[in-house]
Amino acid sequence: MSNRNVIDVSSLPHHEFDTFDPVWWGNNGLLAIETSMFAILIATYFYLRQNFGLWPPPIAQLTAPLRPLPELGYGTANTILLVLACVPMIMADRAARRGDRRAAKIGLTICVVCGIVAMVLRGFEFSAVYFRWDSNAYGSVVWFLLGMHALHLLVLTSETVLLSVWLRVREFDMKHRVDIVTVAVYWYWVVAMWLIIYGIVYFTPRLDLRT
Amino acid sequence: MKQGGGTNRIKLAFVALGATVFLCSCGGGIQSSTNPAGPNAASLSRLWWLMFWVTAAVYVLVMIAVFIAIRKGTRKSDLNPVLNLPPETETSRRNAVLSAVIVTVVILFVFLIYSYSTGRALTADLGQKNGLSIEVTGHQWWWEARYNDVDASNMFTTANEIHIPVGVPVLFTLRGADVIHSFWVPNLAGKKDLIPGKVSTMWLQADKPGVYRGQCAEYCGLQHARMAFWIVAEPQEQFNAWRQNATQGAVPPSTDSQRYGQQVFLSATCVMCHAINGTPAGSNIGPNLTHVGSRNTIAAATLSNTREHLTRWIVDSQQFKPGNRMPANNIGQKELDALVDYLQSLK
Amino acid sequence: MEREREELERTWAHEKGWRRLLMETDHKLIAKRYIVTAFVFFLFGGIEAALMRIQLSRPDNHFLSPDKYNQIFTVHGTTMMFLFAVPIMTALGIYLVPLMIGARDVAYPRLNLYGYWVYLIGGLLLYTGFVLNTGPDAGWFAYVPLSGPGFSPGKRVDIWAQMITFTEISGLVGAIVIIGTVFKMRAPGMTLNRLPLFVWAQLVTSFMIIFAMPAVMLASSFLASDRLIDTHFFNPAEGGDAILYQHLFWFFGHPEVYIIFIPALGFISSIVAAFARTKIFGYTAMVLSLIATGFIGFGLWVHHMFATPIPQMGQSFFTAASMIITIPTGVQIFCWIATLWHGKLNIKTPLLFVFGFFAIFIIGGLTGVMLAAVPLDLQIHDTFFVVAHLHYVLIGGSVFPLFGAFYYWVPKWTGRMLSETLGRWSFALMFIGFNLVFFPMHQLGLSGMPRRVYTYLPESGWGTLNLIASIGAFVLAGGVLAFIVNFLWALRAGAIAGDNPWAADTLEWSVSSPPPPYNFHNVPVVQGRYALWESTPDAPVIRGLSTSKRETLVTSVLDAEPELRFEIPGPSIWPFMVALATGVTFIVGIFTPWAFLVGAILTGAALACWFFADPNYENRPAREHPERSRPVSPPAGLQPKEV
């Protein structure tokens, strides 16, 4: 055995960014699952739309519009907020990569605030849809779309909170720098998903897809 | 080697067993897809036999290949791994596998074409058929059949026993009232689901007079097993007579017992669910009983329509179909006899 | 060298007692638990089947009431599909994949442990409901409107829907674990081109799980919310759609059967290679076939819906796809036959089960082609013909290879050989019994017997074939019993297996039986597809991984070049706690939607604790030689090999 070639791996690091680290693959695997879920949910939205002549369907009130489209205010504000919130997250991402603890802390903290505000705005978005989840199939699927994304906002913000706490009370080690870069990927995904869902919920009813 | 032989023997035994079991119960039956009585089922039966014989041949060939491989392999005695086979072997194996794949593709293609053209023929002239039109609604756990006609006074509703004329295409429009059911009479056609909120259509035709039994083929709850129906195919004149009778109201009671029976019917809970045309009973929650006396079965083709069965069914249908929607009835013997007399008179 | 080994043993030593039960993350331990749990569910499912066969053995039988029968057939299908088949296939992957690729554990050991607990909670939920006479009774796929709030009162279907949630979370977690492990933790030299076919099968299956399971999660969530909070996904009166449910369910349901089938293809490749003493012919074709099957499997789902009023034109596409999928599976079968043809066959029980696979699965595949033809399907859909088909493909295609896998790998898992004689008996009884039960069902379906009927009329003429099937069920049960007896006997009195009793080729056979907790003293370097058959004496050795911390080597995805010395997280209570919180959320959620709020808080708190928990990379305070502890979970009586 002493004659065999030796490959010495003792100088290899424990963690590294991006595809090097198993956590990247795990995170993206989870995102693949959630993307599939949203894809199928969006397909459900369009499938159910086939059962309706008017989409959204009318409210049973003579003074209401025939097609009560979801109001754009809160949703648009939320979209702008989420896109802008990518900036501090990119900042935290870069800071984690170069080992700048202070900048990472600032970035993550701003993101936490943005996340909380986004969830509050999301709460108002539910009221901008003229139906409840139990009014009809339109209400059910729109609440589900907004709700599942809200769940992701919650998880995302919570993860960001955990990391910013860690940054303050524990060491800024490589593993947690990789974690920050990982949560940044999740952040970008949540925003990207939102752009798609925003477009579908708020705008596709405004385009008359039926002739 | 002995072990290889043992395996082969088991395999041969299985094949023999399979053949016996299969052959001993072929064909026959009034609820059988291999006993077609109409063009729809006949073309499906042809498709079945084509696929059966071809796939059986494929199976035999593949199993022969497996047997040969086993025999070849078990002749060698040392078990050192064989790692480098000569290139000719690799080539011959590649060619063998490729040939097998090509044959597979060809067979599948043939099946695909045959399947597609069979399917086209079944639905092709759905619009042009100028025959009978019946609307069937599936309920838990019985079948409602409404015969349509251009003349509204010729329309009528019956339950669980559907008469059709021989040689005439019949268009069925299918709806589910509560849960999903499936309308299936194998001697005549494939099945179609009855889905609440949707409308399905299918057509079928009987070419031979006879009785063909159908059964619900989508699990629909507690008594799915006992939700069957009869299609009675009869020559045109007989059918016309039957239909003529069906459009009439109920036969008025002629004996005292029957009159009493009608009174019992109208004053008991029966009228909450059952209709008898020509009387005040008009509920369509349960099967229409206007001509129940002329039906061959009751309880959705579960029981033959005899006095005994009808009596017991009325007293406690839960014994025959536990969980069905008809409650037990607390009726005295005299009332019961009269009621059954009346119902049996409704021909 | 010896001191290194002792340090490794200390560093990777299992916890003891209740800590081991709740906290230990060794993939082998978790996998064995999965296998035993899933096998117990298999036996429950078998008992349910036996009860059904007794009821159906005669017309107008009164052995089971309609309600009991309907619960039993629902729980049988649900158990077999969700609680047995997928978990056990995943479990064999979790045990064997790290060993086959030269890793010391999976990539996410704590997540792996969480997956097991969630699975167990789901299974307990279903069976608690069943035992209390509130078992689901709407069939294993629970079509609406029957399963909806209008026609399934009570909590029966809610129990089913939430059980789905648990088993799907568990399946998804298992898939992530396998993908991360296969991609990043292969030993140097094991390029993707050298990956054992078993591992390819697990990888393809894991990807299928990722894309398929979200559909059933949505289907069951929509159903649960229709029932609990009055949404209208499936209510036609408010724009909902009963067929939507079928699309959502079968978009998952069809890939599901391939998720169950493809790992078995991996077992067969392993067994054929080892017992034909040769390489599997056509490696590239085999890999491409696995991948093709995985892809095409997503394009078939409408073939479960041919009897619904969806447009016929679209249906023909699914006929074509359902026929095309025959081709990659056919390629695999032809390649195995070509392998056997030029091999030297060592006819042992694992190989007998592979022969059983050929004889049985091919019939199932061929009846599948028949079912793919829309017009013919309209006759045989929802009849006992389909029951025959699905059992031929699932039992022939997955359970027979699984039993072959048991006979093959139990020596590695336990260190003992199973009895060859009892093995042949169990094979013969299972083979004959299976065919007695299910072959007559083809004819029953053609003769008009629909599925899911608790009884049938004497005039139908179905009595004889049903009786034969029922007798066969007990023969089949006898075969399973013979296996159980064999296993229990072998644990105490089986021959000692040694490292490589079959002189097989994959890396798990290079370590002791059972393997040490750290799997490999030195991470191996792989020089060919058939690692042990193609390794040379001068193969390089990996040095430099710590013996005082749990470390394994992380390598690149394509070429397995060393990249990181990865710190493997060790035992922790938090996976169990998060699983409990998940359990509370979804089980109490059956009764009130507020459970989701409370449960979310609990789950979040437990996850935060997990995040902040000790990663346990460092060696624990010095222990003496670890006791040869009695394992807490079955099988009992295991003694690790003395060195």
Side-chain angles (χ1 to χ4, degrees):
Chain A
M1 182 191 127
S2 52
N3 289 338
R4 298 170 87 171
N5 304 323
V6 164
I7 300 178
D8 188 339
V9 297
S10 53
S11 60
L12 289 176
H14 291 299
H15 292 279
E16 196 38 84
F17 297 109
D18 304 320
T19 59
F20 286 101
D21 203 296
V23 81
W24 186 94
W25 296 89
N27 188 44
N28 282 282
L30 291 170
L31 294 183
I33 293 170
E34 295 304 304
T35 308
S36 306
M37 187 276 295
F38 276 119
I40 298 169
L41 189 48
I42 289 169
T44 302
Y45 176 92
F46 287 110
Y47 187 94
L48 286 172
R49 186 170 171 165
Q50 294 175 98
N51 290 347
F52 289 80
L54 296 169
W55 179 266
I59 312 175
Q61 249 182 278
L62 288 175
T63 51
L66 196 61
R67 282 172 65 225
L69 298 163
E71 287 168 14
L72 287 174
Y74 293 110
T76 311
N78 214 350
T79 307
I80 296 173
L81 172 67
L82 283 172
V83 169
L84 288 179
C86 289
V87 171
M89 188 46 92
I90 293 173
M91 187 174 124
D93 186 340
R94 292 217 185 121
R97 285 175 193 271
R98 60 173 191 270
D100 181 347
R101 185 185 193 139
R102 194 175 148 273
K105 224 191 292 186
I106 295 173
L108 286 183
T109 310
I110 300 177
C111 287
V112 168
V113 172
C114 290
I116 294 173
V117 175
M119 286 195 287
V120 169
L121 285 176
R122 177 60 48 81
F124 285 110
E125 278 184 70
F126 283 107
S127 64
V129 175
Y130 283 94
F131 296 97
R132 286 174 19 142
W133 69 92
D134 58 356
S135 309
N136 47 44
Y138 169 82
S140 303
V141 76
V142 170
W143 275 67
F144 226 86
L145 269 167
L146 295 178
M148 288 306 267
H149 190 267
L151 191 59
H152 276 286
L153 276 178
L154 176 64
V155 172
L156 178 67
T157 308
S158 309
E159 277 191 36
T160 315
V161 165
L162 284 178
L163 274 172
S164 51
V165 169
W166 181 282
L167 273 192
R168 286 171 167 80
V169 305
R170 299 279 179 97
E171 48 169 312
F172 192 48
D173 60 351
M174 190 59 183
K175 177 174 195 300
H176 292 86
R177 287 164 61 189
V178 173
D179 280 353
I180 292 172
V181 170
T182 307
V183 97
V185 172
Y186 185 28
W187 190 278
Y188 308 142
W189 178 89
V190 166
V191 175
M193 277 296 125
W194 174 246
L195 291 175
I196 297 172
I197 295 170
Y198 171 69
I200 287 174
V201 168
Y202 288 93
F203 285 100
T204 57
R206 289 175 156 88
L207 314 166
D208 212 347
L209 293 186
R210 302 169 151 272
T211 47
Chain B
M1 285 172 72
K2 205 171 78 167
Q3 296 99 325
T7 321
N8 290 354
R9 256 179 271 128
I10 293 176
K11 297 267 195 65
L12 285 170
F14 149 65
V15 171
L17 179 70
T20 319
V21 159
F22 179 73
L23 290 169
C24 78
S25 44
C26 246
I30 62 167
Q31 192 172 331
S32 170
S33 53
T34 49
N35 188 18
N40 209 318
S43 72
L44 298 182
S45 183
R46 277 194 295 278
L47 179 59
W48 154 254
W49 286 115
L50 167 74
M51 295 188 93
F52 170 73
W53 288 114
V54 171
T55 53
V58 166
Y59 181 70
V60 166
L61 288 173
V62 174
M63 291 312 291
I64 288 175
V66 172
F67 277 128
I68 297 176
I70 296 174
R71 289 198 63 78
K72 290 195 70 201
T74 48
R75 295 224 202 95
K76 299 159 196 157
S77 50
D78 82 281
L79 293 177
N80 291 327
V82 177
L83 292 180
N84 295 303
L85 286 163
E88 309 85 64
T89 312
E90 297 300 310
T91 315
S92 73
R93 291 203 288 189
R94 200 194 60 215
N95 292 340
V97 170
L98 265 164
S99 315
V101 171
I102 291 174
V103 170
T104 308
V105 172
V106 168
I107 292 176
L108 289 177
F109 197 69
V110 167
F111 282 163
L112 187 62
I113 303 291
Y114 202 87
S115 159
Y116 183 70
S117 57
T118 306
R120 292 282 306 173
L122 291 179
T123 55
D125 11 31
L126 202 58
Q128 288 119 301
K129 299 261 178 227
N130 203 4
L132 188 54
S133 165
I134 304 178
E135 288 180 21
V136 171
T137 304
H139 300 264
Q140 280 178 317
W141 292 281
W142 60 280
W143 302 90
E144 175 188 335
R146 178 162 185 76
Y147 282 68
N148 285 328
D149 197 272
V150 273
D151 180 357
S153 62
N154 280 344
M155 300 207 275
F156 63 94
T157 302
T158 181
N160 300 326
E161 188 173 297
I162 299 173
H163 287 242
I164 61 176
V166 170
V168 170
V170 182
L171 179 68
F172 283 93
T173 308
L174 307 168
R175 294 182 176 79
D178 37 31
V179 299
I180 300 179
H181 302 275
S182 193
F183 183 83
W184 182 42
V185 54
N187 292 91
L188 297 180
K191 61 184 64 72
K192 200 78 182 186
D193 286 354
L194 292 74
I195 301 182
K198 310 268 178 199
V199 178
S200 326
T201 51
M202 63 176 282
W203 75 271
L204 55 79
Q205 178 175 318
D207 284 338
K208 296 186 279 216
V211 169
Y212 307 108
R213 194 170 184 273
Q215 193 165 344
C216 178
E218 183 62 60
Y219 177 62
C220 53
L222 210 47
Q223 284 301 333
H224 165 65
R226 299 237 194 255
M227 181 174 165
F229 59 97
W230 277 27
I231 294 206
V232 179
E234 29 195 26
Q236 187 73 51
E237 304 83 52
Q238 258 178 276
F239 172 75
N240 290 342
W242 175 87
R243 185 177 187 158
Q244 181 63 22
N245 183 45
T247 55
Q248 312 295 339
V251 174
S254 52
T255 69
D256 284 335
S257 181
Q258 289 169 11
R259 264 184 287 270
Y260 185 46
Q262 184 184 56
Q263 261 185 289
V264 171
F265 179 86
L266 291 174
S267 53
T269 51
C270 318
V271 297
M272 307 285 292
C273 301
H274 292 288
I276 296 183
N277 298 348
T279 72
S283 168
N284 58 6
I285 296 175
N288 187 304
L289 297 180
T290 309
H291 298 284
V292 63
S294 65
R295 288 189 205 147
N296 293 282
T297 62
I298 57 171
T302 303
L303 300 167
S304 53
N305 190 1
T306 63
R307 191 182 177 85
E308 174 74 16
H309 283 154
L310 191 55
T311 308
R312 290 192 175 278
W313 176 259
I314 294 170
V315 168
D316 189 4
S317 65
Q318 297 294 320
Q319 279 186 23
F320 299 100
K321 267 173 94 161
N324 90 79
R325 304 255 186 269
M326 177 162 153
N329 289 297
N330 197 1
I331 306 187
Q333 182 71 57
K334 188 154 113 28
E335 285 74 18
L336 192 54
D337 282 339
L339 180 58
V340 172
D341 278 342
Y342 173 58
L343 291 174
Q344 289 205 307
S345 78
L346 296 176
K347 297 221 183 273
Chain C
M1 180 63 187
E2 179 61 26
R3 201 177 66 88
E4 254 184 30
R5 197 194 61 77
E6 281 172 22
E7 278 180 23
L8 277 174
E9 296 265 353
R10 243 199 323 272
T11 306
W12 290 81
H14 286 171
E15 298 288 326
K16 310 276 179 302
W18 69 266
R19 292 172 65 89
R20 180 188 155 115
L21 174 67
L22 297 181
M23 296 170 52
E24 184 52 61
T25 50
D26 180 352
H27 71 101
K28 300 182 289 297
L29 187 69
I30 294 174
K32 282 189 293 189
R33 237 183 249 168
Y34 257 116
I35 292 172
V36 169
T37 310
F39 196 80
V40 167
F41 282 125
F42 173 68
L43 296 178
F44 286 168
I47 292 170
E48 286 140 20
L51 292 173
M52 287 193 280
R53 284 315 323 163
I54 294 174
Q55 166 63 13
L56 291 179
S57 57
R58 285 188 349 227
D60 276 343
N61 207 355
H62 294 289
F63 176 68
L64 292 173
S65 71
D67 183 53
K68 266 284 173 289
Y69 185 90
N70 293 342
Q71 285 186 65
I72 287 175
F73 83 69
T74 302
V75 175
H76 166 80
T78 305
T79 301
M80 290 304 199
M81 295 298 281
F82 294 112
L83 299 177
F84 160 66
V86 174
I88 211 165
M89 296 302 179
T90 311
L92 264 81
I94 288 176
Y95 194 107
L96 291 166
V97 163
L99 284 161
M100 282 192 184
I101 63 175
R104 285 195 168 150
D105 204 331
V106 294
Y108 319 111
R110 290 180 178 177
L111 188 63
N112 198 15
L113 181 61
Y114 169 73
Y116 173 75
W117 288 119
V118 168
Y119 157 61
L120 180 66
I121 290 173
L124 290 175
L125 170 65
L126 181 73
Y127 273 87
T128 305
F130 184 43
V131 158
L132 295 178
N133 201 29
T134 56
D137 58 350
W140 85 271
F141 37 88
Y143 277 175
V144 295
L146 178 64
S147 60
F151 297 96
S152 278
K155 294 302 177 189
R156 293 177 162 196
V157 171
D158 299 286
I159 288 175
W160 178 87
Q162 295 303 9
M163 180 229 69
I164 298 273
T165 307
F166 290 115
T167 52
E168 301 320 308
I169 290 177
S170 172
L172 287 164
V173 158
I176 300 276
V177 165
I178 291 196
I179 291 176
T181 309
V182 171
F183 274 174
K184 293 302 296 180
M185 296 180 61
R186 304 196 308 276
M190 187 177 280
T191 60
L192 280 183
N193 196 28
R194 289 178 176 169
L195 208 56
L197 289 168
F198 178 102
V199 182
W200 272 114
Q202 289 285 337
L203 189 64
V204 170
T205 305
S206 300
F207 275 102
M208 291 189 78
I209 289 176
I210 284 182
F211 295 113
M213 286 195 176
V216 75
M217 286 217 62
L218 282 179
S220 62
S221 301
F222 290 164
L223 178 60
S225 70
D226 266 19
R227 292 175 59 88
L228 189 64
I229 55 174
D230 297 322
T231 51
H232 298 287
F233 290 103
F234 306 124
N235 177 7
E238 292 286 358
D241 202 307
I243 296 187
L244 172 64
Y245 181 86
Q246 296 190 26
H247 279 298
L248 289 172
F249 187 87
W250 289 115
F251 186 78
F252 150 81
H254 195 80
E256 160 87 339
V257 307
Y258 288 97
I259 287 166
I260 295 172
F261 175 55
I262 290 179
L265 299 177
F267 305 162
I268 295 174
S269 288
S270 300
I271 294 172
V272 167
F275 290 89
R277 314 303 302 148
T278 186
K279 303 183 186 181
I280 301 289
F281 174 71
Y283 178 88
T284 309
M286 295 289 280
V287 173
L288 291 176
S289 297
L290 286 172
I291 296 174
T293 308
F295 266 105
I296 301 175
F298 278 90
L300 308 189
W301 83 93
V302 175
H303 71 213
H304 298 270
M305 300 163 61
F306 282 154
T308 62
I310 59 183
Q312 204 231 353
M313 206 46 205
Q315 291 182 358
S316 307
F317 167 80
F318 291 92
T319 298
S322 305
M323 291 193 177
I324 287 173
I325 202 165
T326 314
I327 298 171
T329 310
V331 166
Q332 301 233 326
I333 292 176
F334 301 142
C335 286
W336 284 321
I337 295 177
T339 307
L340 293 168
W341 200 283
H342 291 277
K344 293 189 275 189
L345 302 194
N346 179 18
I347 309 269
K348 293 285 192 294
T349 307
L351 195 60
L352 290 182
F353 276 101
V354 169
F355 296 154
F357 157 83
F358 284 126
I360 297 176
F361 172 77
I362 296 180
I363 293 181
L366 293 171
T367 55
V369 173
M370 294 176 183
L371 286 159
V374 176
L376 186 52
D377 180 72
L378 293 179
Q379 278 287 24
I380 48 186
H381 168 68
D382 239 312
T383 67
F384 265 81
F385 190 96
V386 177
V387 177
H389 160 74
L390 74 92
H391 287 91
Y392 267 80
V393 284
L394 285 174
I395 297 186
S398 291
V399 175
F400 268 67
L402 178 69
F403 274 76
F406 286 154
Y407 280 91
Y408 183 47
W409 275 300
V410 159
K412 175 55 58 181
W413 301 338
T414 64
R416 302 281 188 154
M417 303 296 289
L418 290 167
S419 151
E420 189 58 31
T421 312
L422 261 180
R424 280 156 197 256
W425 271 102
S426 68
F427 168 72
L429 287 173
M430 285 178 69
F431 186 82
I432 293 173
F434 171 83
N435 283 294
L436 274 178
V437 185
F438 292 103
F439 199 78
M441 290 186 184
H442 292 109
Q443 181 59 39
L444 282 171
L446 290 169
S447 314
M449 186 171 179
R451 283 174 82 166
R452 300 164 155 196
V453 290
Y454 73 93
T455 190
Y456 51 94
L457 294 176
E459 308 87 85
S460 63
W462 300 328
T464 316
L465 289 180
N466 269 296
L467 184 59
I468 293 174
S470 298
I471 293 171
F474 288 91
V475 177
L476 176 56
V480 175
L481 187 62
F483 166 75
I484 296 173
V485 167
N486 197 351
F487 181 76
L488 294 174
W489 167 86
L491 287 182
R492 308 224 173 253
I496 302 286
D499 290 1
N500 195 354
W502 309 115
D505 59 291
T506 36
L507 282 174
E508 74 272 24
W509 302 106
S510 70
V511 297
S512 63
S513 301
Y518 48 87
N519 292 350
F520 298 94
H521 186 133
N522 292 312
V523 172
V525 174
V526 167
Q527 295 171 302
R529 277 177 194 156
Y530 297 85
L532 296 184
W533 290 347
E534 289 178 316
S535 66
T536 57
D538 60 352
V541 174
I542 303 288
R543 315 272 316 147
L545 289 179
S546 166
T547 52
S548 58
K549 297 186 193 181
R550 298 189 180 199
E551 279 185 5
T552 192
L553 195 61
V554 160
T555 59
S556 64
V557 175
L558 292 177
D559 292 323
E561 310 263 332
E563 286 176 340
L564 300 176
R565 278 186 303 137
F566 192 63
E567 296 163 321
I568 296 268
S572 164
I573 191 66
W574 296 108
F576 175 71
M577 299 304 273
V578 176
L580 276 186
T582 310
V584 163
T585 311
F586 288 103
I587 294 178
V588 180
I590 290 175
F591 300 96
T592 165
W594 290 109
F596 289 94
L597 181 61
V598 172
I601 295 172
L602 287 175
T603 311
L607 280 169
C609 294
W610 183 339
F611 177 74
F612 279 93
D614 169 18
N616 201 20
Y617 302 137
E618 303 293 335
N619 187 18
R620 305 296 216 74
R623 284 194 198 122
E624 297 307 319
H625 289 279
E627 312 156 21
R628 303 303 189 202
S629 58
R630 226 171 22 86
V632 175
S633 51
L638 268 184
Q639 296 300 324
K641 194 163 75 102
E642 297 293 334
V643 177

